[in-house]
Structures are given as structure tokens and as C-alpha cells.
């Protein structure tokens, strides 16, 4: 990676350190492939205090302290350390016990139920502190137990009615089931469609439907696609000659999505340009290609291969390619194998960053996770195609070999 880091890279590095619990300057710098001094300088410029690893020191004997006084002081310090150790062990045991309660999602009701189930073992105050809930909220939840039981009974009765309708016709979804249940009922007795949807979800009742993929490739028949110049040959003899790119979605928050556009060098599998946004307009892929041009200095004479998404077949993107001296290439419509390298990259990114989770907790968390991963991917992550060197190291070895042959 070039040592001329742009402002966005510096801001992301500072944000990654600031927002990562327990992070150290050395750890973040190593992950991003930058020097300890550079990150320290950026943090100081941004006004971010440098966290130091916590240590516990034993105070030196005071002036004129007698042996008896020193022994008493040391006994007090040992007692304090033991109390802290006991406190930490208690927190560990509580969190271990809580893990199974949060396996299906860290919902507030799970926290309340955990406290209720363990209040005979640990003080309620301590339990609430460790799992981060207010005691007043917990006691309010306990006080509403009778109302919850009545509501659960009503929901169970409603679930039986819903299931009876669904058993007659399993293609019925929430709208038709709502209409069936409310048919003939007075207005004041009708059941809200949101409640029916909730009960259906809680009881795993759903109408038959074909699952649709979240589409990021939307063809645009009005524009003329380019020929396939790669023919599934995702190799290149030198860097900066053949690139592939794609758009993938990043699930985050409550049903939200970000979108990532990539530009990957076929020679080394290095990600030389990328862009994240909350939309899939043409600017997304334009920004990624422009970033690649800045990384390489020039893309003149290179081929850029993509699918038939409307962003890549747009006149605006074609104009940018012409301006940068890039020749466009596209695989067949609807054939992911024609862009397998980009598809594989996207799969690896999501598999290794999400690690089984369905989504990131927020858009910010997704941005930082991708930033950290792609930086490490380029500079430190060993790639099988690169003989288990990182893409950056693979290119460096190639450049060194060329210089040796020239000499």
C-alpha cells in the first residue's frame, strides 16, 4: 500500500481505534498495515487520547513507614486485589450463565428473564449491573407478569385460529388471514393486522412464497453492453492490466442495507478501488473506479470486467471509462460464473466479517468492519492464489523479480 494515505483512510483509522473496545495503537496499526507512529500522530491531531494497557502497581513504602505499617498496608492492598478478583470472577460467571439467554437475540425480555431466573443466586442489583439493565425496569417487568400471562393466553388462542385458516390453505399470508379472521366481526372486535403478523411470526406461520434474492444486478436494456473480453480467464501476467468489479449488499441495522462496489486486480487479487454507499446509483461504481485510478496512478490500457448491472451499462460509467482509458468488458447476462472472481471476493468478505451473524448492528459498524477487513486483506491476509502471500506482497515480489531480470 502507498504510504501517502488519503484523508478518508486516516479518518477511518482514527474511528476504528476510537470505536473498538480494548483496542491498542499497536494492534490497530498492525491490522491496517501502517506504522505505530503514523497512527499515533493521526490520533493526536484528531484529539483522541491514547489508551494505555491497565496495570496495577503496588505503592512504594511511605517515608518513615514502620515495618508494621508497611505490612498492614500490603495486607489492605492484597485484600483489595482479592475483592477485585472476586468481582471479576462473579461477572464472568454471570455472563457465562447469560450466554444461552441471548443465543436467539439480545432482546430486553431475555435480560429480564435471566435476572428473574438467577435472583436466588446473585443479588438483583449485581445482575442488572452486569447485563446493563435498570433495576426499575426489571421490577416494572416483574409487576406486569399477570398482564403478560393474560396477553400470552389471548395470543395462543389467536394463533390457533390463524393456524386453522392456514391449514385449510397454506398459501394464505397475513393479509388474507386477517381478512378471514375479521370476517363478520363488529368493528370494535376486529383484530389489527400488525398483531396477526406478530403472532404468525412468533409461531412460524407464513404463506407459501418463493424466496427472492436481494438483487444488486439490475439490467438496463436501453444501453448497449460490452463484449466479454475475459471469457472466465481471471488471470493476468502483470498488475494493472485486467480488473473485475461487482456490487454486493451489506445488511445492517433494522432491515437496512449498504452497498459495496469493488475493483479487483486479476494479477494479485488486490482490491485497488472500492466505495460504500446507502444506494446503488451509478455514482457508487464511478467512485470505486476513480479510487482505483488514484491507487494505480493511471488505468490507461486496462480492461474492467463486470456484470450487466444498469450501473455498469450506463452512459455515465462508459464516459468515465473512456476518460480513464479503460476498456469495458461484460459477461453474459444472468451468469454469475462470468464474474466468479468478484463473486468469490464478496463471499469471503461477508463470511469473514459477519462470521455467521445475519447483519451488522449499524451502518457505521458495517463501514468500519469492511474498512478493517479490506485493508488487512490487501496487506496481511494470505491468499492461496498468491502462493499464500498477501496481494500487496505478491505485487512487491513481482516488481522485485522484474527489476532483477532487467539488471
Amino acid at each position: 500500500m502507498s504510504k501517502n494515505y488519503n484523508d478518508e483512510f486516516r479518518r477511518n483509522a482514527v474511528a476504528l481505534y476510537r470505536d473498538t473496545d480494548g483496542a491498542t495503537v499497536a494492534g490497530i496499526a498492525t491490522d491496517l498495515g501502517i506504522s505505530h507512529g503514523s497512527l499515533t500522530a493521526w490520533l493526536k491531531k484528531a484529539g483522541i487520547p491514547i489508551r494505555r494497557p491497565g496495570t496495577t502497581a503496588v505503592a512504594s513504602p511511605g517515608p518513615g513507614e514502620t515495618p508494621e505499617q508497611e505490612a498492614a498496608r500490603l495486607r489492605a492492598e492484597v485484600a483489595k486485589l482479592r475483592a477485585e478478583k472476586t468481582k471479576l470472577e462473579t461477572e464472568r460467571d454471570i455472563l457465562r450463565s447469560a450466554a444461552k439467554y441471548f443465543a436467539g437475540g439480545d432482546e430486553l425480555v431475555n435480560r429480564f428473564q435471566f435476572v428473574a431466573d438467577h435472583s436466588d443466586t446473585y443479588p438483583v442489583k449485581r445482575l442488572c449491573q452486569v447485563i446493563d439493565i435498570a433495576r426499575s425496569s426489571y421490577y416494572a417487568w416483574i409487576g406486569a407478569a399477570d398482564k403478560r400471562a393474560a396477553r400470552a393466553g389471548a395470543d395462543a388462542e389467536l394463533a390457533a385460529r390463524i393456524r386453522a385458516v392456514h391449514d385449510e390453505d397454506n398459501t394464505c399470508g397475513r393479509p388474507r388471514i386477517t381478512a378471514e379472521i375479521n370476517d363478520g366481526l363488529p368493528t370494535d372486535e376486529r383484530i389489527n393486522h400488525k398483531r396477526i403478523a406478530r403472532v404468525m411470526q412468533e409461531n412460524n406461520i407464513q404463506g407459501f412464497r418463493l424466496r427472492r434474492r436481494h438483487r444488486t444486478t439490475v439490467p438496463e436494456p436501453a444501453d448497449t453492453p460490452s463484449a466479454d473480453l475475459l471469457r472466465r480467464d481471471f488471470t493476468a501476467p502483470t498488475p494493472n492490466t485486467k480488473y473485475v468489479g461487482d456490487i454486493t449488499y451489506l445488511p445492517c441495522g433494522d432491515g437496512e442495507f449498504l452497498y459495496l462496489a469493488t475493483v479487483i486486480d486479476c494479477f494479485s487479487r488486490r482490491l485497488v478501488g472500492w466505495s460504500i454507499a446507502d444506494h446503488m446509483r451509478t455514482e457508487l461504481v464511478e467512485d470505486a473506479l476513480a479510487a482505483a485510478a488514484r491507487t494505480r496512478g493511471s488505468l490507461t490500457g486496462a480492461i474492467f470486467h463486470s456484470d450487466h448491472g444498469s450501473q455498469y451499462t450506463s452512459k455515465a460509467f462508459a464516459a468515465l471509462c473512456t476518460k480513464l482509458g479503460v476498456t469495458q468488458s461484460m459477461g453474459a447476462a444472468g451468469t454469475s460464473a462470468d464474474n466468479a472472481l468478484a463473486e468469490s471476493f464478496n463471499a469471503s468478505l461477508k463470511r469473514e466479517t459477519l462470521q455467521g451473524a445475519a447483519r451488522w448492528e449499524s451502518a457505521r459498524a458495517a463501514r468500519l468492519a469492511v474498512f478493517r477487513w479490506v485493508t488487512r486483506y490487501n496487506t496481511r491476509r494470505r491468499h492461496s492464489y498468491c502462493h499464500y502471500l498477501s496481494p500487496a506482497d505478491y505485487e512487491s515480489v513481482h516488481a522485485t523479480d522484474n527489476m532483477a531480470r532487467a539488471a
Side-chain angles (χ1 to χ4, degrees):
M1 172 179 288
S2 168
K3 299 303 180 184
N4 297 320
Y5 305 102
N6 59 37
D7 291 340
E8 184 180 4
F9 183 95
R10 297 182 187 197
R11 287 195 300 270
N12 283 333
V14 169
L16 185 62
Y17 174 84
R18 183 187 63 224
D19 295 348
T20 303
D21 291 338
T24 62
V25 172
I28 296 297
T30 299
D31 276 352
L32 299 182
I34 61 179
S35 70
H36 182 284
S38 295
L39 182 54
T40 300
W42 300 344
L43 292 170
K44 289 181 178 178
K45 184 176 180 181
I48 304 299
I50 307 297
R51 295 189 291 267
R52 304 294 182 188
T55 58
T56 302
V58 178
S60 302
E65 189 177 50
T66 66
E68 292 78 9
Q69 291 171 330
E70 180 182 4
R73 175 177 54 79
L74 291 175
R75 283 195 296 271
E77 290 175 351
V78 169
K80 182 179 179 181
L81 291 173
R82 285 176 175 169
E84 182 66 21
K85 178 174 179 289
T86 300
K87 177 183 175 183
L88 293 174
E89 288 176 344
T90 301
E91 290 182 357
R92 179 200 61 195
D93 293 341
I94 290 174
L95 290 173
R96 282 179 176 174
S97 299
K100 65 180 181 180
Y101 284 78
F102 304 147
D106 192 4
E107 298 177 0
L108 192 58
V109 66
N110 291 344
R111 294 171 184 253
F112 291 152
Q113 191 62 57
F114 170 76
V115 175
D117 291 347
H118 292 79
S119 59
D120 292 337
T121 306
Y122 304 101
V124 169
K125 179 180 179 180
R126 191 78 187 116
L127 289 166
C128 291
Q129 287 175 339
V130 172
I131 64 174
D132 193 26
I133 60 173
R135 272 188 295 165
S136 59
S137 299
Y138 166 70
Y139 286 123
W141 180 80
I142 289 293
D146 291 342
K147 291 182 179 179
R148 284 199 307 278
R151 187 165 57 248
D155 283 350
E157 180 183 347
L158 176 58
R161 294 168 62 190
I162 291 172
R163 196 173 297 282
V165 175
H166 187 263
D167 287 345
E168 289 185 7
D169 182 357
N170 69 354
T171 66
C172 284
R174 188 266 307 163
R176 283 198 286 164
I177 288 178
T178 301
E180 182 69 23
I181 287 179
N182 287 330
D183 184 38
L185 292 179
T187 302
D188 59 347
E189 295 182 13
R190 292 185 178 182
I191 299 173
N192 185 277
H193 67 91
K194 293 182 180 179
R195 182 186 173 196
I196 290 180
R198 174 179 59 79
V199 172
M200 289 179 64
Q201 182 178 20
E202 291 173 353
N203 290 272
N204 196 29
I205 303 171
Q206 57 182 336
F208 177 81
R209 59 188 174 88
L210 294 175
R211 296 189 178 274
R212 297 177 59 188
R213 295 178 58 195
H214 187 88
R215 297 185 65 194
T216 54
T217 301
V218 182
E220 176 51 69
D223 294 331
T224 303
S226 302
D228 185 350
L229 303 180
L230 267 59
R231 298 291 180 184
R232 302 187 184 181
D233 178 10
F234 303 111
T235 63
T238 58
N240 200 25
T241 55
K242 288 165 62 175
Y243 294 95
V244 297
D246 194 13
I247 301 174
T248 191
Y249 70 95
L250 306 173
C252 54
D254 186 14
E256 302 173 64
F257 292 94
L258 292 178
Y259 300 92
L260 170 69
T262 55
V263 180
I264 305 165
D265 195 315
C266 291
F267 172 77
S268 62
R269 275 40 178 177
R270 180 177 177 180
L271 182 68
V272 296
W274 57 286
S275 177
I276 293 181
D278 59 359
H279 62 79
M280 289 197 299
R281 297 191 294 272
T282 302
E283 298 98 288
L284 177 67
V285 296
E286 288 179 314
D287 289 346
L289 192 64
R294 290 193 297 271
T295 299
R296 290 305 196 192
S298 173
L299 296 179
T300 302
I303 295 172
F304 177 77
H305 182 82
S306 67
D307 57 29
H308 280 251
S310 59
Q311 301 86 352
Y312 294 114
T313 60
S314 68
K315 293 178 181 178
F317 188 73
L320 178 61
C321 288
T322 300
K323 178 182 176 181
L324 297 176
V326 172
T327 301
Q328 281 190 269
S329 168
M330 294 181 187
T335 306
S336 60
D338 285 352
N339 204 16
L341 173 53
E343 298 272 358
S344 175
F345 175 90
N346 292 339
S348 295
L349 184 151
K350 288 195 232 183
R351 181 178 63 252
E352 295 181 18
T353 53
L354 285 171
Q355 296 187 1
R359 58 184 59 250
W360 287 278
E361 62 182 10
S362 66
R364 179 176 180 79
R367 287 179 182 272
L368 290 177
V370 171
F371 167 70
R372 185 175 200 165
W373 188 87
V374 299
T375 304
R376 184 181 179 87
Y377 169 88
N378 278 337
T379 60
R380 298 192 61 213
R381 182 184 180 277
R382 298 180 184 274
H383 201 299
S384 59
Y385 179 82
C386 300
H387 307 298
Y388 292 98
L389 295 174
S390 70
D393 288 342
Y394 188 70
E395 290 189 2
S396 179
V397 169
H398 172 78
T400 302
D401 289 345
N402 282 349
M403 290 176 61
R405 284 193 290 269

